[in-house]
Amino acid sequence: MATIIRNATVATLAGNQPYGLIKQGAIAVQGGKIQWVGKESAIPELYANHHPCDAGGKLVTPALIDCHTHLIFGGNRAQEFEQRLLGASYEEIARAGGGILSTVTQTRAASLDELVSAALPRMDALIAEGVTTVEIKSGYGLDEHTELKMLRAARELANRRPIRVVTSFLGAHAIPPEFKGNADAYIDRVCIPTLQRAAANGLVDYVDGFCENIAFSANQIERVFKVAQELGIPVKLHSEQLSHQGGTALATRYGALSADHVEYATEEDASLMAASNTVAVILPGAFYTLTETREPPIEAFRKYGVPMAVATDANPGSSPLFSPLLAMNMACTFFWLTPEEALLGVTKHAAQALGLADSGVLTPGRRADFAIWDVSHPAELAYMIGFNPLSERWINGECSSCS
Ligand code: DI6
Ligand code: FE
């Protein structure tokens, strides 16, 4: 028996119309997949006697995908927030051993259960805004034991809630204190062997890195990418966030699914990304928190046809943001994305940034993961600030928020 969602405005995000909008639309769902989408007046005879579900004229979009988060971490960095407000910069705090390294200390000290318990309410905040797929990175362990613990905690989150979790190994995130001044030795002796161990345990869906003057050079990241390539794991990269290091060009040479942050990326980088089908992941939460002024080259991304995703970058330091809706709003206000680009950024293009061909748009054959919003037009989703109009969240063809 199929379920027929009817009396809906459907933003399929497919086809040539803005938002792929179908007014007075309907969706047929069966076996966890979308079987049919179209005008209510054209529902195929086949579905005539199937289970109807009245959407009450509400808007249906693909469920949201948060394609870049650091949801698993110990402690928090509210004190660093205070320090920054007194004038210290993110880079100064990092160089003085705070920043990412202070979270490393707290993450090493936490048990797997504690990491899971701490992450659950953050993940629930994403779920409350219609997220059904979330990417979660390691990178606050920087030793084998803690990196594996973080990845296992991420996998465990998927057992605790109806959500799909995918994981990125981010061993090349920062240089741990025990390797201070010796990033190369850290890459060779810890990062790469840990990646191999984590991959052998089925814990790694993507390999990520932080290519930055306060982290790793493009050459160092390349050594990690070579191992990812041998393992057959796709790569993505935090590149050109605080300065231009050539990480984006490197990422494109390895066919990266995405280059993330990219505030300091150039037009040349944008053309390379277009050629390698690399998505630009726009992270306005970090731009906002760090009071960055350099904007990503959005015009160049448009000119070369680089798809843009939008994500929270949820993390305890540079982006304590747990709202994809607010990330959409910020992407519009800071970077002049259109509300349609912002919505594509948390659905279709976020799916592409994760290499997930099964979701992100509402077309037959895709996963029946969708969100039903109490709004009349999709532009309202990016427009409102601090307001959540989610009415229902469906994952694998089941309503997870209906009682
Ligand atoms: N860039 C970021 O924005 C996060 N990691 C990274 O490489 C920040 C992580 C943190 O400050 O804890
Ligand atoms: Fe990040």
Side-chain angles (χ1 to χ4, degrees):
M1 180 83 121
T3 300
I4 313 294
I5 318 275
R6 51 197 312 164
N7 190 18
T9 301
V10 185
T12 63
L13 303 186
N16 300 323
Q17 295 302 311
Y19 298 99
L21 208 60
I22 303 173
K23 294 206 171 125
Q24 280 304 316
I27 306 176
V29 170
Q30 194 168 19
K33 296 227 163 84
I34 295 172
Q35 304 295 338
W36 178 88
V37 187
K39 284 267 186 205
E40 195 167 346
S41 56
I43 295 176
E45 190 58 32
L46 164 73
Y47 298 119
N49 297 318
H50 287 248
H51 178 64
C53 178
D54 190 327
K58 291 175 184 155
L59 174 74
V60 184
T61 69
L64 305 196
I65 297 171
D66 197 347
C67 70
H68 180 142
T69 85
H70 309 248
L71 270 194
I72 306 250
F73 54 85
N76 70 65
R77 306 233 291 277
Q79 282 172 357
E80 183 184 311
F81 179 56
E82 288 186 321
Q83 280 176 283
R84 282 207 314 277
L85 290 168
L86 293 171
S89 75
Y90 182 75
E91 274 188 59
E92 282 162 2
I93 293 167
R95 287 189 194 284
I100 292 174
L101 293 185
S102 99
T103 299
V104 169
T105 306
Q106 299 185 79
T107 305
R108 286 178 176 179
S111 68
L112 193 151
D113 276 353
E114 286 166 344
L115 291 179
V116 169
S117 303
L120 271 174
R122 300 171 199 137
M123 194 169 77
D124 284 340
L126 305 183
I127 287 172
E129 292 190 2
V131 170
T132 57
T133 299
V134 61
E135 182 264 13
I136 303 179
K137 301 175 195 298
S138 71
Y140 291 124
L142 312 181
D143 63 29
E144 182 174 305
H145 173 77
T146 317
E147 287 292 307
L148 293 178
K149 181 173 69 182
M150 287 186 74
L151 293 165
R152 290 199 171 102
R155 291 274 192 248
E156 174 57 22
L157 283 175
N159 299 326
R160 303 291 184 96
R161 295 290 186 274
I163 192 164
R164 171 165 55 168
V165 174
V166 291
T167 57
S168 294
F169 174 77
L170 181 56
H173 193 199
I175 301 146
E178 55 279 17
F179 283 88
K180 195 171 178 194
N182 204 352
D184 284 312
Y186 169 72
I187 293 285
D188 294 335
R189 288 194 232 144
V190 178
C191 184
I192 288 173
T194 301
L195 166 57
Q196 287 161 330
R197 175 68 65 91
N201 282 277
L203 294 170
V204 185
D205 300 319
Y206 315 93
V207 171
D208 196 350
F210 188 21
C211 186
E212 192 51 68
N213 53 19
I214 54 167
F216 297 94
S217 68
N219 285 339
Q220 289 161 342
I221 297 289
E222 181 161 17
R223 302 219 298 275
V224 182
F225 278 5
K226 283 208 167 105
V227 176
Q229 203 170 48
E230 283 162 25
L231 293 166
I233 302 175
V235 301
K236 39 181 58 246
L237 188 63
H238 288 69
S239 64
E240 335 302 354
Q241 179 187 4
L242 308 168
S243 62
H244 193 276
Q245 299 289 324
T248 305
L250 167 75
T252 63
R253 288 205 300 282
Y254 282 79
L257 287 171
S258 68
D260 301 41
H261 289 286
V262 292
E263 276 87 338
Y264 288 79
T266 60
E267 178 157 350
E268 167 76 12
D269 291 325
S271 77
L272 292 171
M273 288 168 74
S276 62
N277 246 325
T278 299
V279 176
V281 178
I282 306 297
L283 301 167
F287 176 92
Y288 166 83
T289 302
L290 303 181
T291 56
E292 178 60 65
T293 52
R294 171 82 169 235
E295 296 174 21
I298 303 296
E299 268 315 318
F301 293 146
R302 288 188 183 123
K303 176 173 159 190
Y304 292 97
V306 176
M308 291 181 280
V310 174
T312 60
D313 195 16
N315 77 64
S318 67
S319 186
L321 169 65
F322 303 90
S323 166
L325 289 172
L326 185 51
M328 290 166 70
N329 174 270
M330 287 176 165
C332 295
T333 302
F334 289 140
F335 307 141
W336 302 93
L337 263 67
T338 65
E340 185 181 13
E341 286 173 326
L343 184 56
L344 286 164
V346 293
T347 52
K348 183 182 176 184
H349 296 156
Q352 192 179 334
L354 297 175
L356 299 173
D358 62 358
S359 39
V361 293
L362 299 179
T363 53
R366 309 283 171 138
R367 279 166 61 113
D369 287 5
F370 47 85
I372 306 184
W373 309 91
D374 197 359
V375 302
S376 51
H377 190 275
E380 288 172 58
L381 299 177
Y383 151 77
M384 286 185 281
I385 303 170
F387 182 73
N388 178 5
L390 188 77
S391 173
E392 290 175 22
R393 171 188 179 272
W394 289 62
I395 179 165
N396 275 322
E398 308 264 335
C399 178
S400 73
S401 55
C402 308
S403 44

